[in-house]
Amino acid sequence: MSLLEVRDLHTHFIAYDLDNRLRTARALNGVSFSLEPGRILGLVGETGAGKSLTALSILGLLKPPARVVAGQAVFEGRDLLALPPEELNALRGARIGLVVQSPKTSLDPLARIGQQLVRLQRAHRPEFSAAQAEARAAEMLAAVGIPDPKRRLRAWPHELSGGMAQRVLIAMALVNEPSLLIADEPTTGLDVTVQAQILDLLRGLARQRGIGAVIITHDLGVVAHYCDEAAVMFAGQVVEHGPVSALFARPAHPYTRALIAATPERLQLRAPRPSGSPPNLYALPEGCLYRDRCPMAQDVCTRPPPDLALRDGHAARCHLAEAA
Amino acid sequence: MSDAALPAPATPAWTARAAGRLAGISRRSPTLAIGAAIILGFALLAVLAPLISPESPVASNPARVLQAPSAANWFGTDGNGMDVLSRVIHGSLYAFGIAIPVVIVGLLIGVPVGLWTGWTGGWPDEIVMRGSDALRVFPSIILALAVVAAAGPSLLNVVLVLGLLDAPVYARVVRAEVLSLRNGTFVEAAVAAGNPTRRILFRHILPNALRGATAQTAVRAAWAVRISATLAFLGVGIQPPTPEWGAMIRQGAEYMVTGEWWVAVFPGCALILLVLGLNMLGDGLADLLDPRRKAATR
Amino acid sequence: MSAPVLRVEGLSKRFAAPGGGVIGAVNDVSFTLAAGETLGLVGESGSGKSTLGRCVLRLTAPSEGRVIFMGQDITSVPEARCRPLRANMQMVFQDPWAALNPRMTARDLIEEPLMLHTRLSRAERRDEATRLGLRVRLPSAMLDRYPSELSGGQQQRVCIARAIATKPALIVLDEPTSSLDLSVRAGILDLLAELKEETGAAMLFITHDLGTLRLMADRVMVMYLGRVVEQATAAEVFERPAHPYTQALMSAHLPADPAVPLARHVLRGEIPSPINLPPGCGFASRCPVAIPACRERLPPLEELAPGHRAACLRVADGGNRIPS
């Protein structure tokens, strides 16, 4: 059974504009993917594709005017989207760990690192004594590669470098032994030489503890080297998903191909390439959302594309996937 | 999110568009809408005062002194036999006649000072800001009392004194915005493009530094209405029989103990309502005037 | 190549650190830049690359050294006399949204340098702005929009149109593509490559991304903690990186292809604080091949091959190569 299975998730922003017209931005239009225990999934896409929104929707962290209008997110047999808030609260930070993008602003500036780790454990496991929780906090800091963990428990967040702060956040996400970890752009904003350290750490810990992880990123390099599976998002849909090796070797969706061709090491300057803006979420066209930019678009593309299964769990939401 | 143009809706008549916009703004900020409606109501009263008020506000009639509200005089009559309703209506003219010039004087002094001190920093900034601190330490009512008492209780004096007392408020908000803009990227880009300092200040910084001051104007107008009424109440502002609310309340206060409540209560309610409306407008504006916020909800 | 457009000699920039001490943001940097040439300046955060770019344009005054622009020493020219020179040296910033005055339309913004530096009439400026807009592929209807009504890529095109409006001899590009999405980035790089050829302007291209440099730069200068550690032609740097830091930086890049094995030298630790640097090589604390002498003596920038210089003591004994 899958650890997490997201089925046809739709999230809309519904609000009145300044001219009093009720307007709906269809930000997620049917996101589906699944994650097996112990595997790492890369959710990749460009700004506005809906990567972070997918995570927020699953975790029940949306703020108005955003709301989930349809779909399921089944985690360990329970649909997260149908759970009452208090039960979802009990899962977040316990069974599901979250690592967010900006480590510096995600730590409580007025509490020492140790206090924050202890607080988090005791919120979910009241049976822990303060001493037990503190001992585990120190173990956790050691596990994320923070030297001298006993002393570091006394450190304040502002005393940490960006890389250290991100390690602490990973420790916080893992301290309650979750079975699912969601990391939203865990290395964006870190220097490249530090990025490798954090990614190695994340992958190592996930493997060692058998945790299923979703890494949200815009960096195809991160997906290629640190993920087992990839799901490519465009305009609020997963347009292609499959094992990383298959997806990079035989990208089936034209958008995936364009994305790979635009990476610095593949980029050919002044070569023809699809251009244009992402579709207007307030007035999405019928049919394939990529067709305005797609060099291969045909008449059939005005109809909604199927999620075509290719070989080895590889699938693409494109009429022409088989031909490609 | 997306930069594609919105689908052009069938263009409705401009009245329908304006009505839609009004309804949209009211939905986004009911505070702003209620505040604006109150102010609009008072502005109409002020403009139409000569037409709609039943009598002259200063026509005394010894035959009907201190009459309770009745069909003939809805708000009753005061100690001179003047119609309170007519006086309340005309009072709105004075309220605006003080508030608007006070705000203008405050802006004319405060904005340039804030722009200059925020940009240059250093000792001019220190001197001006400490000076404005010193002004703020005194309760403004005491300061206003002293100056108006010395200079004479004319409308012009009241306006000048209140405007001057108000200037530091605008100077502060403008200075704070200039300070944050001064090291911002688009100002650096303007320097890199070769803009002279004058153009950087007036074309690049000033238009982006007025948001706070604009939102403040309504709140400060409320303050001006309140303080000028207080001055009149204390007898150093505008003098009776001018139909000014503060002066009317002062007159009416004497009659409260003997039961003729209407002389003071009606101008008092008008004053409270206008001050409330201005404050609501100010709060609503502060929310709505943020251009970054507008871009984010686009 | 012709006489250099820009010559920088022994440039240093120091700031007072907030808590006392001195931050040596740029230390003793020298280079020249010829017309039509693109020099890539690469380094991580805190390497001083942006500060160097600002010193070159006199947006900040250097603490030491000289900046000679088109034969004229501009190191200590007062700002008022710098202004006419600014027609000849322009800058493109990292975040186009922050670099554009939100209260001016795209057209106003593009016309501004023309208004400041040319005697064109209002109508001529209008025509020229339209032409510049088309040159950077902004349709003229877009020009009447405010920055908040443009996408990130379009905003950066406005910035580029502004920068080329007065046909400058030197353009400093500070991370011009790092805030943009992959597919948008490709279009901007295309445009910059065309402009480089067309205008013959010298370009100082500042970035942390080696992939982008490979496409854009003729020569590369690698900076670490305010010092140049390696300087060579782009081809030479990518084929034979001499300094251990350059090697580590290159191996930290994650190619978007799972089939390419990572020859990874993961560096330990993070970039040290630039306040009150110890003597010796700045990289010694993280360098896998450092020897005791590295912590005592500052390595000079020495020529290894014509045009290829590196600042590493281990080059002499051949121990500069990081074993994989």
Side-chain angles (χ1 to χ4, degrees), chain B residues 134-151 161-162 165 223 226-228 230-231 234 236-237:
Chain B
L135 268 186
R136 286 153 59 100
V137 175
F138 287 101
S140 47
I141 182 69
I142 306 255
L143 222 63
L145 257 175
V147 182
V148 174
V161 168
L162 294 189
L165 283 178
W223 172 85
R226 204 161 45 79
I227 293 280
S228 64
T230 311
L231 286 177
L234 295 172
V236 289

Side-chain angles (χ1 to χ4, degrees), chain A residues 47 234-235 276-281 293, chain B residues 1-4:
Chain A
T47 313
F234 178 81
S277 337
N280 180 358
L281 298 177
R293 281 159 83 172
Chain B
M1 279 255 162
S2 151
D3 52 52

